[in-house]
Amino acid sequence: MGKPLFYEILEKPATSCLIGICSAIWFYIQRKHIGYSHVGLSYETAIEGHHWRIITSAFSHISVLHLVFNMSALWSLGVVEQLGHLGLGTEYYLQYTLVLVVLSGILVLGMYHVLIQRFKLEYFRRVTAVGYSCVVFGWMTILSVKQPSAKLDLFGFLSLPISFAPFESLVFTSIIVPQASFLGHLSGIVVGYAIAWGLIHGMNNYWALSLLGWILLVFVLSLKRSGALDLNFLEIESVTDPSLPSVRFLASGNGRTLQMTALPTGNVDIV
């Protein structure tokens, strides 16, 4: 008999929070009838400046089956939080989840770029990726290197050896769900191996918070510039008040002189 769910949640706090966030976003998407084209990531939207979609696409799911598959796999992969003795743990999990979200999104856009520009496959210009699968596949890969004896449990009854899980799941999802993003899943595997083999390393709380800050900044600015969300409160307007003195330099034979206009006379209320 396994541990009560409450204790498992306490042992996997980051995983539990991420599952809660993805589930809440799925509920909101269903409630508001939002389509994948509104939140998904594609090459076409990326070159239009919709860089915020790298984040929204990762945490959004459209179908309930897609959500259940990803969250079931993510719950099983939450064992990473319990492997502090292997140099993993909750902090490691959160730090490299940020890396997986950003780099797998950038990598899949890079793949689209090569296919479109080099091989003239215009089909990939409008292919839209959505879902947390890239991060799930990334953690499958990391765990297969760090803890090859582990098992991946799906739906509570299907158990796969973690050492083969990334590629088994890649083939499985491509067959069962033909519209699944093969390149999105593959990008997660590639970034996962780069992390597991130490090609991407050195993350700590300082760099994770710095990365999070840049993500939030780019997210908000790209939302503003793409016009996807009305953020008028971020508008910076020049202030020209005729009641204030103006300052300018005047050229003269002896050099440059500073000239200031006088303040206009009138009643001024100071409050």
Side-chain angles (χ1 to χ4, degrees):
M1 185 175 179
K3 295 180 181 179
L5 179 61
F6 175 75
Y7 289 105
E8 290 202 53
I9 291 174
L10 292 179
E11 291 177 351
K12 305 176 183 178
T15 303
S16 302
C17 288
L18 287 169
I19 290 174
I21 290 170
C22 289
S23 300
I25 291 173
W26 173 82
F27 181 78
Y28 180 82
I29 285 173
Q30 298 304 311
R31 186 77 178 269
K32 297 295 183 179
H33 304 289
I34 298 172
Y36 69 90
S37 61
H38 296 98
V39 293
L41 177 66
S42 69
Y43 183 81
E44 194 168 62
T45 55
I47 61 177
E48 290 173 356
H50 294 217
H51 305 125
W52 51 269
R53 290 175 179 264
I54 291 177
I55 306 302
T56 59
S57 63
F59 291 93
S60 301
H61 297 80
I62 304 304
S63 75
V64 66
L65 180 62
H66 190 197
L67 175 72
V68 170
F69 176 84
N70 279 349
M71 296 305 101
S72 174
L74 186 62
W75 177 255
S76 180
L77 293 166
V79 70
V80 170
E81 295 191 68
Q82 302 168 329
L83 298 176
H85 60 285
L86 294 179
L88 304 180
T90 300
E91 286 188 6
Y92 181 95
Y93 181 78
L94 289 173
Q95 291 161 3
Y96 284 98
T97 289
L98 276 177
V99 174
L100 281 166
V101 169
V102 175
L103 291 190
S104 60
I106 293 174
L107 181 58
V108 76
L109 288 174
M111 292 178 180
Y112 289 158
H113 180 78
V114 171
L115 291 170
I116 294 166
Q117 302 299 331
R118 180 69 178 85
F119 298 99
K120 309 302 179 186
L121 298 174
E122 291 296 318
Y123 162 77
F124 288 98
R125 187 176 292 275
R126 285 181 279 279
V127 171
T128 302
V130 65
Y132 204 69
S133 304
C134 55
V135 181
V136 168
F137 275 79
W139 279 117
M140 281 185 199
T141 305
I142 294 170
L143 199 57
S144 71
V145 174
K146 301 284 188 180
Q147 186 78 346
S149 61
K151 298 282 187 179
L152 176 68
D153 296 319
L154 297 174
F155 308 112
F157 62 87
L158 180 61
S159 184
L160 300 174
I162 195 66
S163 54
F164 300 107
F167 295 102
E168 286 178 344
S169 299
L170 184 65
V171 174
F172 176 76
T173 53
S174 298
I175 294 173
I176 301 301
V177 188
Q179 67 270 31
S181 176
F182 180 87
L183 292 180
H185 297 168
L186 184 61
S187 68
I189 292 175
V190 171
V191 177
Y193 274 124
I195 293 171
W197 291 339
L199 301 177
I200 300 172
H201 65 280
M203 282 294 288
N204 53 35
N205 288 336
Y206 171 79
W207 289 115
L209 289 173
S210 299
L211 178 58
L212 180 60
W214 280 107
I215 289 172
L216 292 174
L217 180 63
V218 172
F219 185 85
V220 172
L221 290 179
S222 63
L223 269 176
K224 174 65 179 173
R225 291 177 179 175
S226 65
L229 189 63
D230 187 13
L231 298 173
N232 287 331
F233 64 91
L234 291 178
E235 206 60 62
I236 300 176
E237 299 180 357
S238 60
V239 178
T240 305
D241 191 341
S243 67
L244 298 176
S246 62
V247 179
R248 58 177 175 165
F249 285 98
L250 296 176
S252 65
N254 297 325
R256 305 178 72 187
T257 60
L258 180 67
Q259 184 184 57
M260 178 182 288
T261 60
L263 283 167
T265 60
N267 297 325
V268 179
D269 294 329
I270 300 175
V271 295

